[in-house]
């Protein structure tokens, strides 16, 4: 039996980059400290901030939510955007609901299918890839919600393995605008864009997955039917996995160097922010990509419709579906 580095119990996980074998309890504690260090290192938000957490229901977002709630660093609102992708979305909505209720967390399910804003409908009317349409819709809704409900930051569960892949991929494509957007923190643009933070920026996917399983968190393991991984992304992922194997910790050093160099950079949109003529939120041109896209696909820009829906829910008190402030405990 391999023993835990800190106690007499059996180790259930090995972290090669830290040269540590840990038991279940010490692993949870290790991740909790890592989360707190990341939040502080990158100045994501101050203690007691109000943070919207975007939760898809996958292992990454439930782990982020669980760790954040354990840390007591922020007052959270769990938000799930129902993408209306058949069975996959039905399972996702139920998982997020169950998870939030079990943990006594305030949550809000954003369902825009009554306005025709479902991914299958939108995808049918465009040549863009489903993943890019989906990403754009989620980004828009979560930003609008964080702004309109007056939260301090929007947290998403992007982990280090994915971030490292996107950094190298953007570099290979020489897409510097995209490269500058990949950051543990994207600062707010007052009145136009919320602060966006990625507390799992330095987390490995295996840590996130192991935690979700060890603690029996409910998560969606069905893959989105639209999911498609391009050849370049697979190739870069393989390359980085090889590098990590040769030199444990490789990805985290890459992520840190990237953050050091780019955190002060601004994407074109942030450098010269404009307000969308239709909805008033951040835009790189006259109209934001969400309004432009929905105008083309549905005949009218839907930004303001989404914002009114959000404010309506807040006024109706539906962002407090369960009473919050009940701390839950790891165990
Ligand atoms: Zn231990
Ligand atoms: Zn707009």
């Amino acid at each position: 039996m391999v023993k835990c580095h800190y106690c007499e119990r059996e180790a259930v996980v090995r972290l090669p980059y830290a040269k540590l074998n840990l038991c279940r309890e010490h692993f949870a504690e290790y991740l909790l400290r890592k989360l707190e260090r990341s939040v502080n290192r990158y100045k994501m938000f101050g203690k007691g901030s109000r943070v919207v957490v975007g939760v898809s229901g996958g292992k990454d977002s439930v782990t982020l939510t669980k760790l954040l709630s354990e840390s007591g660093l922020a007052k959270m609102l769990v938000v799930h955007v129902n993408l209306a992708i058949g069975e996959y979305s039905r399972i996702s909505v139920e998982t997020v609901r169950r998870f939030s209720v079990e943990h006594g967390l305030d949550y809000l399910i954003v369902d825009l299918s009554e306005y025709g804003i479902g991914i299958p409908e939108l995808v049918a009317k465009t040549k863009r890839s489903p993943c890019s349409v989906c990403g754009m819709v989620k980004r828009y809704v979560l930003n609008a919600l964080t702004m309109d409900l007056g939260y301090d930051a929007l947290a998403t569960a992007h982990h280090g393995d994915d971030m490292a892949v996107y950094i190298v991929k953007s570099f290979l494509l020489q897409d510097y605008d995209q490269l500058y957007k990949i950051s543990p923190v994207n600062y707010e643009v007052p009145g136009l864009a919320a602060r966006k933070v990625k507390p799992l920026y330095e987390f490995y996917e295996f840590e996130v997955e192991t935690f979700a399983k060890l603690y029996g968190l409910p998560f969606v393991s069905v893959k989105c039917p639209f999911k498609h991984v391009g050849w370049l992304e697979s190739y870069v992922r393989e390359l980085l996995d090889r590098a990590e194997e040769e030199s444990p910790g490789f990805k985290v050093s890459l992520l840190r160097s990237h953050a050091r160099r780019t955190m002060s950079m601004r994407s074109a949109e942030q450098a010269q922010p404009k307000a969308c003529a239709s909805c008033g939120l951040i835009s790189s041109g006259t109209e934001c990509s969400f309004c432009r896209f929905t105008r083309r696909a549905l005949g009218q820009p839907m930004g303001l419709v989404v914002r009114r829906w959000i404010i309506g829910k807040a006024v109706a008190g539906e962002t407090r579906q369960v009473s919050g402030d009940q701390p839950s405990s790891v165990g």
Side-chain angles (χ1 to χ4, degrees):
M1 152 179 135
V2 180
K3 266 200 309 187
C4 170
H5 181 78
Y6 297 108
C7 72
E8 296 299 309
R9 281 180 294 235
E10 184 176 3
V12 292
V13 58
R14 172 163 176 78
L15 310 180
Y17 69 97
K19 297 193 179 70
L20 284 178
N21 297 305
L22 298 173
C23 68
R24 182 175 180 269
E25 285 72 17
H26 280 113
F27 176 55
E29 201 175 300
Y30 180 88
L31 289 191
L32 212 50
R33 293 291 95 76
K34 184 164 167 164
L35 180 91
E36 286 166 0
R37 271 202 317 274
S38 296
V39 167
N40 294 330
R41 176 195 294 269
Y42 297 115
K43 300 186 173 59
M44 293 185 184
F45 49 82
K47 206 167 160 59
S49 294
R50 297 169 73 237
V51 176
V52 168
V53 189
V55 179
S56 67
K59 63 186 185 340
D60 309 338
S61 54
V62 297
T63 293
L64 170 65
T65 311
K66 176 77 174 170
L67 288 173
L68 264 180
S69 96
E70 291 298 328
S71 76
L73 285 171
K75 295 187 184 72
M76 296 188 288
L77 172 65
V78 167
V79 176
H80 174 77
V81 183
N82 184 356
L83 303 160
I85 308 177
E87 187 64 2
Y88 168 73
S89 288
R90 201 189 55 74
I91 296 171
S92 303
V93 167
E94 270 328 294
T95 305
V96 175
R97 205 189 298 279
R98 202 178 113 208
F99 175 81
S100 305
V101 171
E102 275 175 12
H103 291 84
L105 298 166
D106 291 341
Y107 70 98
L108 178 65
I109 311 280
V110 179
D111 190 352
L112 299 171
S113 54
E114 56 184 294
Y115 301 109
I117 307 177
I119 299 307
E121 290 82 2
L122 291 178
V123 166
K125 291 176 182 151
T126 172
K127 287 194 178 73
R128 279 176 70 159
S129 83
C131 295
S132 87
V133 173
C134 181
M136 179 199 56
V137 170
K138 279 196 281 196
R139 272 194 302 277
Y140 184 83
V141 172
L142 291 171
N143 179 55
L145 199 138
T146 309
M147 295 293 298
D148 287 332
L149 300 186
Y151 275 72
D152 299 310
L154 165 64
T156 51
H158 299 93
H159 55 64
D161 285 280
D162 280 351
M163 290 301 100
V165 169
Y166 300 150
I167 289 166
V168 174
K169 190 180 143 193
S170 306
F171 176 76
L172 291 175
L173 295 170
Q174 289 293 287
D175 186 346
Y176 282 91
D177 209 47
Q178 189 54 39
L179 201 55
Y180 296 154
K181 279 185 193 162
I182 304 169
S183 176
V185 186
N186 298 99
Y187 291 103
E188 62 272 39
V189 182
L192 300 177
R195 172 182 297 217
K196 297 179 184 75
V197 301
K198 301 183 184 77
L200 303 184
Y201 183 76
E202 292 190 3
F203 280 57
Y204 287 93
E205 185 171 13
F206 83 89
E207 295 178 304
V208 172
E209 185 164 0
T210 307
F211 180 84
K213 286 182 177 159
L214 281 177
Y215 282 86
L217 303 181
F219 65 86
V220 184
S221 40
V222 204
K223 288 264 172 286
C224 171
F226 284 122
K227 179 98 183 140
H228 166 79
V229 179
W231 67 270
L232 182 59
E233 190 173 323
S234 314
Y235 178 74
V236 169
R237 196 173 295 272
E238 227 177 278
L239 173 86
L240 287 170
D241 286 347
R242 273 289 294 282
E244 183 70 29
E245 229 177 275
E246 291 289 334
S247 168
F250 181 90
K251 289 184 193 180
V252 170
S253 357
L254 181 144
L255 289 160
R256 284 192 186 158
S257 312
H258 173 77
R260 260 199 305 279
R261 300 228 181 268
T262 54
M263 268 175 65
S264 54
M265 309 281 197
R266 296 282 177 267
S267 65
E269 197 172 76
Q270 281 180 314
Q272 290 171 311
K274 291 187 208 87
C276 167
S278 296
C279 74
L281 291 177
I282 195 161
S283 171
S284 51
T286 326
E287 211 169 35
C288 74
S289 48
F290 181 77
C291 286
R292 211 166 51 226
F293 180 81
T294 45
R295 179 193 291 283
R296 235 183 295 133
L298 306 170
Q300 65 156 318
M302 298 301 281
L304 268 190
V305 175
V306 170
R307 296 188 72 185
R308 284 200 195 105
W309 184 93
I310 291 166
I311 291 165
K313 287 288 165 188
V315 170
E318 287 186 42
T319 53
R320 294 200 152 257
Q321 303 211 354
V322 290
S323 62
D325 303 320
Q326 308 165 352
S328 59
S329 61
V330 166

